[in-house]
Amino acid sequence: MSDLESLFAKNQKWANDIKEKDPEFFSTLAKQQAPEYLWIGCSDSRVPANQIVDLAPGELFVHRNVANIVIHTDLNCLTVLNYAVEFLKVKHVMVTGHYGCGGVKAAMENNKLGLIDYWLRNIRDVYYAHQPELDAIKDETLRLRRLCELNVLQQVDNVARCNIVQNAWARGQELSIHGWAYDIHDGILHKLREPIDGIHQIPEQYRLY
């Protein structure tokens, strides 16, 4: 059996196991999705969103990219955010990074890697904005850990400062933006800041109404 054929076999077993536990699971799931959460995370294969928070299919809307970046020129990410906020009416957006992130590490080491350098530039900007703090951390593992956190915090701000989110607040929609970090070494999520849930928490120069 080829590697790909083994995936089909695993899929069949997975589907059968679920139907044994809940015969109506897939028929119910097919009717609609109504998640309350949008997870914006890293593409790293070791960070499976649904499993980390123990939510079933249909309960978590997910967008992933290298190093969980949210920038206002990324139409892919913004389209996901727009659909989640305006149509699915999610109540929570969780920007979730992870310690030891390869994208963040590559940005910190400042090596030339090719096309991805354009993407990682966003993280390098975070580094230079916090350079005194980061350069004071002599242990490279701890410095990377802190940059992973700072990257999440910047992306949380980017989410909260976009018109999709602020328009939702303006119409009275309940919506909170969270910053989390996942530790691959023990499977635990860490809350990096209190949620942003209104325009009053946004600096005036970034307020759109």
Coordinates of all heavy atoms in Angstrom, one line a residue, residues 50-89:
N50 N -7.9 22.0 16.3 CA -9.0 21.3 17.0 C -8.6 20.4 18.1 O -9.3 20.4 19.2 CB -9.8 20.5 16.0 CG -10.7 21.4 15.1 OD1 -10.2 22.1 14.2 ND2 -12.0 21.3 15.3
Q51 N -7.5 19.7 17.9 CA -7.1 18.7 19.0 C -6.6 19.5 20.2 O -6.8 19.0 21.3 CB -6.0 17.8 18.4 CG -6.5 16.8 17.4 CD -5.4 16.0 16.8 OE1 -4.9 16.4 15.7 NE2 -4.9 15.0 17.5
I52 N -5.9 20.6 20.0 CA -5.3 21.3 21.2 C -6.4 21.8 22.1 O -6.2 21.7 23.3 CB -4.5 22.5 20.7 CG1 -3.2 22.0 20.0 CG2 -4.1 23.4 21.8 CD1 -2.4 23.0 19.3
V53 N -7.5 22.2 21.6 CA -8.6 22.8 22.4 C -9.8 21.8 22.5 O -10.8 22.1 23.1 CB -9.1 24.1 21.9 CG1 -8.1 25.2 22.2 CG2 -9.4 24.1 20.4
D54 N -9.5 20.5 22.0 CA -10.5 19.4 22.1 C -11.9 19.8 21.6 O -12.9 19.6 22.3 CB -10.6 19.0 23.6 CG -11.3 17.6 23.7 OD1 -11.3 16.9 22.7 OD2 -11.8 17.3 24.8
L55 N -11.9 20.4 20.4 CA -13.2 20.8 19.8 C -13.4 19.9 18.6 O -12.5 19.6 17.8 CB -13.2 22.2 19.4 CG -13.3 23.2 20.5 CD1 -13.2 24.7 19.9 CD2 -14.6 23.1 21.3
A56 N -14.6 19.5 18.3 CA -15.0 18.6 17.2 C -15.0 19.4 15.9 O -15.1 20.7 15.9 CB -16.4 18.0 17.5
P57 N -15.0 18.8 14.8 CA -15.2 19.5 13.5 C -16.5 20.3 13.5 O -17.5 19.8 14.0 CB -15.3 18.3 12.5 CG -14.5 17.2 13.1 CD -14.8 17.3 14.6
G58 N -16.5 21.5 13.0 CA -17.6 22.4 13.0 C -17.6 23.3 14.1 O -18.4 24.3 14.1
E59 N -16.8 23.2 15.1 CA -16.8 24.0 16.3 C -15.6 25.1 16.3 O -15.6 26.0 17.1 CB -16.6 23.2 17.6 CG -17.8 22.3 17.8 CD -17.8 21.5 19.1 OE1 -16.7 21.1 19.5 OE2 -18.8 21.3 19.7
L60 N -14.7 25.0 15.3 CA -13.6 25.9 15.3 C -13.3 26.2 13.8 O -13.0 25.3 13.0 CB -12.4 25.2 15.9 CG -11.1 26.1 16.1 CD1 -11.3 27.1 17.1 CD2 -9.9 25.2 16.5
F61 N -13.4 27.5 13.5 CA -13.0 28.0 12.1 C -11.5 28.3 12.2 O -11.0 28.9 13.2 CB -13.8 29.2 11.8 CG -13.9 29.5 10.3 CD1 -14.4 28.6 9.5 CD2 -13.6 30.8 9.8 CE1 -14.6 28.8 8.1 CE2 -13.7 31.0 8.5 CZ -14.2 30.1 7.6
V62 N -10.8 27.9 11.2 CA -9.3 27.9 11.3 C -8.7 28.6 10.1 O -9.0 28.3 8.9 CB -8.7 26.5 11.4 CG1 -7.2 26.5 11.5 CG2 -9.3 25.8 12.7
H63 N -7.7 29.4 10.3 CA -6.8 29.9 9.3 C -5.4 29.7 9.8 O -5.0 30.1 11.0 CB -7.0 31.4 9.1 CG -6.0 32.0 8.1 ND1 -6.0 31.8 6.8 CD2 -4.9 32.8 8.4 CE1 -5.0 32.4 6.2 NE2 -4.3 33.0 7.1
R64 N -4.5 29.2 8.9 CA -3.1 28.9 9.3 C -2.2 29.5 8.3 O -2.5 29.3 7.1 CB -2.9 27.4 9.6 CG -3.7 26.9 10.7 CD -3.7 25.4 10.8 NE -2.4 24.9 11.2 CZ -2.1 23.6 11.5 NH1 -3.1 22.7 11.3 NH2 -0.9 23.2 11.9
N65 N -1.1 30.0 8.7 CA 0.0 30.4 7.8 C 1.3 30.3 8.5 O 1.3 30.1 9.7 CB -0.2 31.8 7.2 CG -0.3 32.9 8.2 OD1 0.6 33.0 9.1 ND2 -1.3 33.7 8.2
V66 N 2.4 30.5 7.8 CA 3.7 30.4 8.5 C 3.9 31.5 9.5 O 3.7 32.7 9.2 CB 4.9 30.6 7.4 CG1 6.2 30.7 8.1 CG2 4.8 29.4 6.5
A67 N 4.0 31.1 10.8 CA 4.3 32.0 11.9 C 3.0 32.9 12.3 O 3.2 33.9 12.9 CB 5.5 32.9 11.7
N68 N 1.8 32.4 12.0 CA 0.6 33.0 12.4 C 0.6 34.5 12.3 O 0.4 35.3 13.2 CB 0.2 32.6 13.9 CG 1.4 32.6 14.8 OD1 2.1 31.6 15.0 ND2 1.7 33.8 15.5
I69 N 0.8 35.0 11.1 CA 0.9 36.4 10.8 C -0.4 37.0 10.3 O -1.1 36.3 9.5 CB 2.1 36.7 9.8 CG1 3.4 36.4 10.5 CG2 2.0 38.1 9.3 CD1 4.6 36.6 9.5
V70 N -0.8 38.2 10.7 CA -1.9 38.9 10.3 C -1.5 40.2 9.8 O -1.1 41.1 10.6 CB -3.0 39.0 11.4 CG1 -4.2 39.8 10.8 CG2 -3.4 37.7 11.9
I71 N -1.5 40.4 8.4 CA -1.2 41.7 7.9 C -2.3 42.2 6.9 O -3.0 41.4 6.4 CB 0.2 41.7 7.1 CG1 0.2 40.5 6.1 CG2 1.3 41.5 8.1 CD1 1.5 40.5 5.3
H72 N -2.4 43.5 6.8 CA -3.5 44.0 6.1 C -3.4 44.0 4.6 O -4.3 44.6 3.9 CB -3.8 45.5 6.6 CG -4.1 45.5 8.1 ND1 -3.9 46.6 8.9 CD2 -4.5 44.5 8.9 CE1 -4.2 46.3 10.1 NE2 -4.6 45.1 10.2
T73 N -2.4 43.4 4.1 CA -2.3 43.1 2.6 C -2.5 41.7 2.3 O -2.4 41.3 1.1 CB -0.9 43.6 2.1 OG1 0.1 42.9 2.9 CG2 -0.7 45.1 2.2
D74 N -2.7 40.8 3.3 CA -3.0 39.4 3.0 C -4.5 39.1 2.9 O -5.2 39.0 3.8 CB -2.4 38.6 4.2 CG -2.6 37.1 4.0 OD1 -3.1 36.7 3.0 OD2 -2.2 36.3 4.9
L75 N -4.9 39.1 1.6 CA -6.3 39.0 1.3 C -6.8 37.6 1.7 O -8.0 37.4 2.0 CB -6.6 39.2 -0.2 CG -6.3 40.6 -0.7 CD1 -6.7 40.7 -2.1 CD2 -7.1 41.6 0.2
N76 N -6.0 36.6 1.8 CA -6.4 35.3 2.2 C -6.8 35.3 3.7 O -7.9 34.9 4.0 CB -5.2 34.3 2.0 CG -5.6 32.9 2.4 OD1 -6.7 32.6 2.8 ND2 -4.7 31.9 2.1
C77 N -6.0 35.8 4.5 CA -6.3 35.9 6.0 C -7.5 36.8 6.2 O -8.4 36.5 7.0 CB -5.0 36.4 6.7 SG -5.3 36.5 8.5
L78 N -7.5 38.0 5.5 CA -8.6 38.9 5.7 C -9.9 38.4 5.3 O -11.0 38.7 5.9 CB -8.3 40.2 5.0 CG -7.1 41.0 5.6 CD1 -7.0 42.4 4.8 CD2 -7.2 41.3 7.1
T79 N -9.9 37.6 4.2 CA -11.1 37.0 3.7 C -11.7 36.0 4.8 O -12.9 35.9 5.1 CB -10.9 36.2 2.4 OG1 -10.5 37.2 1.4 CG2 -12.2 35.6 1.9
V80 N -10.8 35.2 5.4 CA -11.2 34.3 6.4 C -11.7 35.1 7.6 O -12.8 34.7 8.2 CB -10.0 33.4 6.9 CG1 -10.4 32.6 8.1 CG2 -9.6 32.5 5.8
L81 N -11.1 36.1 8.0 CA -11.5 36.9 9.1 C -12.9 37.6 8.8 O -13.8 37.6 9.7 CB -10.5 38.0 9.4 CG -10.8 38.9 10.6 CD1 -10.9 38.2 11.9 CD2 -9.7 40.0 10.7
N82 N -13.0 38.1 7.6 CA -14.3 38.7 7.2 C -15.4 37.7 7.3 O -16.5 38.0 7.8 CB -14.1 39.3 5.8 CG -15.4 40.0 5.3 OD1 -15.7 41.1 5.7 ND2 -16.2 39.3 4.5
Y83 N -15.2 36.5 6.7 CA -16.3 35.5 6.7 C -16.6 35.1 8.1 O -17.8 34.9 8.5 CB -15.8 34.3 5.9 CG -16.9 33.3 5.7 CD1 -18.0 33.5 4.8 CD2 -16.9 32.1 6.4 CE1 -19.0 32.6 4.6 CE2 -17.9 31.2 6.2 CZ -19.0 31.4 5.3 OH -20.0 30.5 5.2
A84 N -15.6 34.9 8.9 CA -15.8 34.4 10.3 C -16.6 35.5 11.1 O -17.5 35.1 11.9 CB -14.5 34.1 11.0
V85 N -16.2 36.7 11.0 CA -16.9 37.8 11.8 C -18.2 38.2 11.3 O -19.2 38.3 12.0 CB -15.9 39.0 11.9 CG1 -16.6 40.2 12.5 CG2 -14.7 38.7 12.6
E86 N -18.3 38.4 9.9 CA -19.6 39.0 9.4 C -20.6 37.9 9.1 O -21.8 38.2 9.1 CB -19.3 39.8 8.2 CG -18.4 41.0 8.5 CD -18.4 42.1 7.4 OE1 -19.3 42.0 6.5 OE2 -17.5 42.9 7.4
F87 N -20.2 36.7 8.8 CA -21.2 35.7 8.4 C -21.4 34.6 9.4 O -22.5 34.2 9.7 CB -20.8 35.1 7.0 CG -20.9 36.2 5.9 CD1 -19.7 36.9 5.5 CD2 -22.0 36.5 5.3 CE1 -19.8 37.8 4.6 CE2 -22.1 37.4 4.3 CZ -20.9 38.1 3.9
L88 N -20.3 34.1 9.9 CA -20.4 33.1 11.0 C -20.7 33.7 12.4 O -21.1 33.0 13.3 CB -19.1 32.2 11.0 CG -18.8 31.4 9.8 CD1 -17.5 30.7 10.0 CD2 -19.9 30.4 9.5
K89 N -20.4 35.0 12.5 CA -20.6 35.7 13.8 C -19.9 35.0 14.9 O -20.4 34.8 16.0 CB -22.1 35.7 14.1 CG -23.0 36.3 13.0 CD -22.7 37.8 12.8 CE -23.7 38.4 11.8 NZ -23.4 39.8 11.4

